[in-house]
Amino acid sequence: MTLSALSVFAVALIVAAGSPGPSIAAMVARVLTSGLKDVLPFLAAMWIGEAVWLTLAVAGMAAIADRLGQLFVLLRYAGAAYLVYLAIRMWFAPDEIEDRQLSGPQRPWKMFGAGLAVTLGNPKIMVFYLALLPTIVDIVHVGMAGWVELSATMLLVLIAVDLAWALLAARARRLLASRRAVRIANRTGAVVMAGAAATIAAN
């Protein structure tokens, strides 16, 4: 891969990943209600999910992915259902502030599974890698070395963008100093999470 091609890919990915979507909404809502540490498995799953889509695109498997559409529909609905479950828990979470925990932590494997389902079933991500990426990069001639370079670039961009969103959410969370503020954060997070679920299920 040439430096110019990688730069174009990085800029396009920054725009795509930086614009708020279902995955970002779900991640920010979780940080607001449970803190940064609780969302790390979700972030890791998001990055792995995007690596899967990148690999499918580079391997020329867009047609196969299209044939497996029903599988990704199921993944999309599974991710949306889990987000609804999280939204309900956030809405009814206690508004205690003594330990700075709002809705309480989720088990890491559950957060990982939710992040993977949301990313693999996110239409915005599918379109970027299977439809837009081939117009940005000549993936027909991308070999193993090119895939490694694209993957490394993708990972650097996603870490920077997603952690920026997560840190902003964590900073906002520190402002929660009253039971009313905690209740508002819980219910705002619940609404955002439910909205992300609806977006994923509807597209």
Side-chain angles (χ1 to χ4, degrees), residues 92-149:
F92 293 105
D95 53 6
E96 298 173 357
I97 59 174
E98 287 79 3
D99 59 358
R100 305 298 293 170
Q101 283 294 108
L102 304 186
S103 66
Q106 293 290 319
R107 292 183 179 179
W109 68 268
K110 286 187 176 181
M111 291 303 296
F112 184 89
L116 197 60
V118 167
T119 304
L120 291 178
N122 189 339
K124 172 185 168 186
I125 296 174
M126 293 183 199
V127 168
F128 177 80
Y129 286 105
L130 298 183
L132 295 182
L133 181 62
T135 68
I136 299 170
V137 176
D138 184 12
I139 59 173
V140 174
H141 298 98
V142 173
M144 179 61 70
W147 174 81
V148 170
E149 292 167 345

Side-chain angles (χ1 to χ4, degrees), residues 116-200:
L116 197 60
V118 167
T119 304
L120 291 178
N122 189 339
K124 172 185 168 186
I125 296 174
M126 293 183 199
V127 168
F128 177 80
Y129 286 105
L130 298 183
L132 295 182
L133 181 62
T135 68
I136 299 170
V137 176
D138 184 12
I139 59 173
V140 174
H141 298 98
V142 173
M144 179 61 70
W147 174 81
V148 170
E149 292 167 345
L150 284 171
S151 298
T153 303
M154 177 206 72
L155 188 59
L156 289 174
V157 169
L158 293 178
I159 287 175
V161 171
D162 293 342
L163 285 183
W165 277 108
L167 290 172
L168 282 173
R171 187 177 182 87
R173 185 174 183 269
R174 295 192 190 100
L175 301 176
L176 303 177
S178 70
R179 295 173 69 92
R180 182 172 182 272
V182 171
R183 185 165 56 252
I184 290 172
N186 278 335
R187 297 194 172 178
T188 300
V191 170
V192 171
M193 195 74 81
T199 301
I200 289 173

